[in-house]
């Protein structure tokens, strides 16, 4: 998945981006609301991590503008305030969740997973499809009695494909969803991850199909 992190503290932004990258997410960092708007105009995002206090404004005003424009990207607000009234107001303004600074990175990762599951209409971390079970939390794919571990990018790729089975995703779209602007991506990067995931799916009733010149889709055999 591709995240936009809007945070003006370089130390915190570096730490959060590094941790999320270890999970296979592409993370773009904006230090101001102006930069955040530029990023949003240039790329699609699955989740925004938004600080409240930024050099050029209040993150809550930015959130209100996004919701007013009917942009439905999930948003987790990051706040130093422990006030219940502030948190309630943030949720009422359209935030999907909030986390109070300082926070534990494991909690942030869990909140990201929970928000993305809710937006996809998935209650459980496990998804059943065409003879396999995908557990995003455990980073595993189970075929029959065999549990196969997924590397970070394989996991994120499968999440995207499973969000809309049968839909074709172009290579540029998958690159946009999986990598940040700062990452150097070779022309065959997606092909490599598709090949790895295809091997992990062997023996199941699913097929990761390549449509030449068009893209990739996950379908039942």
């Amino acid at each position: 998945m591709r995240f936009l992190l809007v945070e003006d503290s370089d130390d915190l932004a570096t730490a959060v981006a590094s941790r999320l990258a270890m999970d296979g997410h592409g993370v773009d960092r904006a230090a101001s609301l102006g930069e955040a708007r530029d990023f949003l105009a240039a790329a699609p995002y699955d989740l925004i991590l938004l600080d409240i206090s930024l050099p050029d404004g209040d993150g809550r005003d930015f959130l209100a503008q996004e919701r007013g424009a009917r942009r439905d990207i999930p948003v987790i607000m990051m706040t130093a305030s422990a006030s219940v009234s502030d948190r309630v107001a943030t949720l009422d303004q359209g935030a999907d969740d909030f986390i109070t600074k300082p926070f534990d990175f494991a909690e942030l990762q869990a909140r990201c997973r929970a928000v993305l599951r809710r937006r996809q209409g998935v209650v459980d971390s496990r998804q059943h499809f065409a003879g396999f079970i995908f557990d995003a939390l455990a980073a595993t794919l189970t075929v029959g009695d065999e549990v196969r571990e997924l590397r970070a990018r394989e996991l994120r790729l499968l999440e995207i494909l499973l969000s809309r089975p049968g839909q074709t995703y172009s290579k540029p779209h998958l690159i946009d969803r999986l990598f940040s602007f700062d990452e150097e991506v070779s022309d065959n990067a997606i092909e490599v991850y598709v090949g790895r995931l295809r091997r992990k799916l062997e023996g199941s009733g699913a097929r990761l199909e390549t449509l030449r010149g068009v893209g990739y889709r996950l379908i039942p055999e």
Side-chain angles (χ1 to χ4, degrees):
M1 300 295 181
R2 189 165 182 174
F3 293 177
L4 177 60
L5 172 61
V6 190
E7 168 61 59
D8 62 324
S9 168
D10 186 63
D11 289 343
L12 179 58
T14 298
V16 170
S18 297
R19 188 64 176 259
L20 293 173
M22 289 173 61
D23 281 349
H25 299 294
V27 183
D28 290 317
R29 293 167 46 185
S32 68
L33 297 178
E35 288 184 10
R37 292 186 181 95
D38 290 340
F39 277 119
L40 287 168
Y45 290 95
D46 298 289
L47 179 67
I48 300 173
L49 298 171
L50 178 61
D51 190 20
I52 286 182
S53 300
L54 290 152
D56 55 347
D58 190 310
R60 289 167 294 194
D61 295 334
F62 177 84
L63 172 63
Q65 292 167 5
E66 289 297 298
R67 294 300 184 242
R70 299 188 180 276
R71 280 188 279 267
D72 200 31
I73 304 171
V75 175
I76 296 178
M77 300 295 294
M78 301 185 296
T79 173
S81 172
S83 164
V84 173
S85 60
D86 283 349
R87 288 181 285 174
V88 169
T90 298
L91 293 172
D92 284 342
Q93 286 170 326
D96 294 85
D97 202 352
F98 64 86
I99 190 166
T100 304
K101 300 177 183 179
F103 49 76
D104 184 89
F105 289 123
E107 180 186 358
L108 177 63
Q109 290 169 299
R111 288 183 181 275
C112 291
R113 290 192 297 266
V115 165
L116 290 170
R117 284 201 305 270
R118 288 198 300 269
R119 282 304 183 101
Q120 294 169 359
V122 178
V123 177
D124 198 332
S125 67
R126 295 170 297 177
Q127 291 178 259
H128 297 250
F129 181 80
F132 71 81
I133 302 171
F134 169 53
D135 190 331
L137 186 57
T140 59
L141 189 156
T142 303
V143 179
D145 295 328
E146 184 180 356
V147 179
R148 303 169 184 178
E149 293 185 358
L150 295 170
R151 296 180 180 179
R153 296 283 193 207
E154 297 166 2
L155 187 154
R156 300 307 164 202
L157 176 59
L158 184 54
E159 278 185 328
I160 294 169
L161 295 169
L162 266 179
S163 66
R164 290 184 176 84
Q167 177 170 315
T168 301
Y169 292 90
S170 68
K171 187 182 294 185
H173 179 83
L174 291 174
I175 288 174
D176 279 344
R177 294 282 298 277
L178 290 170
F179 300 94
S180 67
F181 284 118
D182 292 337
E183 294 178 276
E184 293 185 7
V185 184
S186 64
D187 290 341
N188 68 340
I190 294 299
E191 295 173 19
V192 170
Y193 292 117
V194 165
R196 290 177 182 174
L197 184 55
R198 189 173 278 137
R199 288 192 290 274
K200 298 286 176 69
L201 290 167
E202 288 179 357
S204 73
R207 179 156 57 99
L208 210 176
E209 186 177 44
T210 300
L211 302 175
R212 293 197 177 278
V214 181
Y216 307 92
R217 64 179 181 178
L218 185 68
I219 57 174
E221 288 282 10

